[in-house]
Amino acid sequence: EAQVTQNPRYLITVTGKKLTVTCSQNMNHEYMSWYRQDPGLGLRQIYYSMNVEVTDKGDVPEGYKVSRKEKRNFPLILESPSPNQTSLYFCASSFRAGNQPQHFGDGTRLSIL
Amino acid sequence: GNSVTQMEGPVTLSEEAFLTINCTYTATGYPSLFWYVQYPGEGLQLLLKATKADDKGSNKGFEATYRKETTSFHLEKGSVQVSDSAVYFCALSDGTSGSARQLTFGSGTQLTVLP
C-alpha cells in the first residue's frame, strides 16, 4: 500500500530537548516536504527536498532542520524546541516537484511545554 | 506572491443540503488548483483538481470549476452527507515548470453535516 508514514503521532516534551520526527514514503517519490498546520493559518511549508541531498527552506524554516540522505526518508529535526513550535505537522511527498498532487502522512501533534 | 483565500467557517449544514465553499486565488503564471479534504485525525487527501482554465474537477459528488476570469475555484456538492464532515482546503500549485514550493494552501473550512 502506497503511504507516507510519520512517527511519532503524538509527542509532549519540554523546551530545549532535541527531538526528531521521522517521515518515510514507499512510492519512490523524488519530492518531499514538511508542513505545519495552525488554526486559521492553513498549512505552511517548513522545508522541502527535490531529491536526495537537495533540501531548501519553505516559508517558516526557523527553528527546524531536515536531511535527505535516502530517497524514502525525510526527518524533521527540532534542535531546541520552543513553545511556539507546538503544532500539527505533516509530511508529504510527490513523484516530482511541479503541478502534482501530494500524498500526506497522518500527522504528528507536537506539544512543547 | 501566490495566495489562496477561502470562505471562513465553520459551516454547518443539514444532510442533503447544497454545499458551496468559496475559494479565490492570486497567482502568477498558470497555476493548477486543488481541493484537499482532511477527515478527523487524518492527513490531507486530494479530493479533486483542475489544471487549466474552464477545467472541471469532480470526485465523490463534489465539483469545482477553474474560473480564470474571476480567479476562483469554488467547491460544490448537491447533497451533502454526514460522512462529508471534514476540513476542506483549497490550494494552488505554481504553474512554473519544476516549481519547488508547490502548494500554497488556504486556511481551511470546517464543514459539519448534521443528520
Side-chain angles (χ1 to χ4, degrees):
Chain A
E1 180 189 350
Q3 58 186 4
V4 177
T5 304
Q6 296 178 227
N7 279 296
R9 292 292 310 279
Y10 304 91
L11 179 64
I12 301 173
T13 188
V14 296
T15 299
K17 185 175 180 182
K18 181 180 178 180
L19 68 91
T20 299
V21 184
T22 63
C23 174
S24 180
Q25 50 92 6
N26 63 359
M27 296 167 278
N28 202 36
H29 284 170
E30 290 184 355
Y31 184 96
M32 297 185 75
S33 180
W34 276 103
Y35 298 89
R36 59 178 290 174
Q37 182 181 8
D38 300 290
L41 297 177
L43 276 77
R44 295 178 292 169
Q45 191 178 49
I46 303 170
Y47 268 94
Y48 62 92
S49 171
M50 300 281 278
N51 213 325
V52 176
E53 301 292 1
V54 182
T55 64
D56 208 345
K57 297 177 180 178
D59 297 316
V60 288
E62 295 78 20
Y64 304 94
K65 284 175 57 177
V66 293
S67 69
R68 187 90 182 274
K69 294 185 172 60
E70 306 164 282
K71 199 171 188 179
R72 64 184 293 124
N73 296 324
F74 190 45
L76 179 70
I77 303 156
L78 285 71
E79 294 270 4
S80 182
S82 62
N84 63 12
Q85 293 177 296
T86 293
S87 188
L88 179 58
Y89 291 84
F90 288 99
C91 180
S93 72
S94 62
F95 184 62
R96 282 204 183 91
N99 296 340
Q100 296 194 10
Q102 294 187 24
H103 299 257
F104 283 81
D106 286 338
T108 296
R109 186 166 291 281
L110 288 184
S111 294
I112 316 295
L113 305 178
Chain B
N2 298 336
S3 67
V4 175
T5 303
Q6 281 182 242
M7 68 182 284
E8 292 191 14
V11 174
T12 302
L13 297 173
S14 297
E15 205 163 25
E16 299 183 3
F18 184 85
L19 169 71
T20 300
I21 301 178
N22 290 336
C23 171
T24 57
Y25 68 89
T26 302
T28 55
Y30 304 94
S32 292
L33 300 173
F34 305 86
W35 278 100
Y36 282 82
V37 58
Q38 183 181 28
Y39 298 104
E42 298 183 11
L44 280 71
Q45 303 172 25
L46 179 68
L47 180 60
L48 52 85
K49 69 174 183 177
T51 57
K52 62 182 188 296
D54 300 324
D55 267 2
K56 177 186 283 188
S58 62
N59 185 25
K60 299 181 181 179
F62 291 89
E63 292 183 341
T65 301
Y66 189 163
R67 301 283 189 204
K68 192 169 173 63
E69 64 275 14
T70 55
T71 61
S72 65
F73 193 55
H74 305 321
L75 182 68
E76 297 182 335
K77 186 174 185 182
S79 176
V80 294
Q81 305 300 311
V82 172
S83 57
D84 293 326
S85 298
V87 181
Y88 292 82
F89 291 92
C90 185
L92 72 82
S93 179
D94 191 311
T96 305
S97 175
S99 169
R101 289 293 188 92
Q102 280 206 271
L103 292 174
T104 300
F105 286 90
S107 57
T109 301
Q110 171 77 54
L111 170 67
T112 301
V113 180
L114 302 176

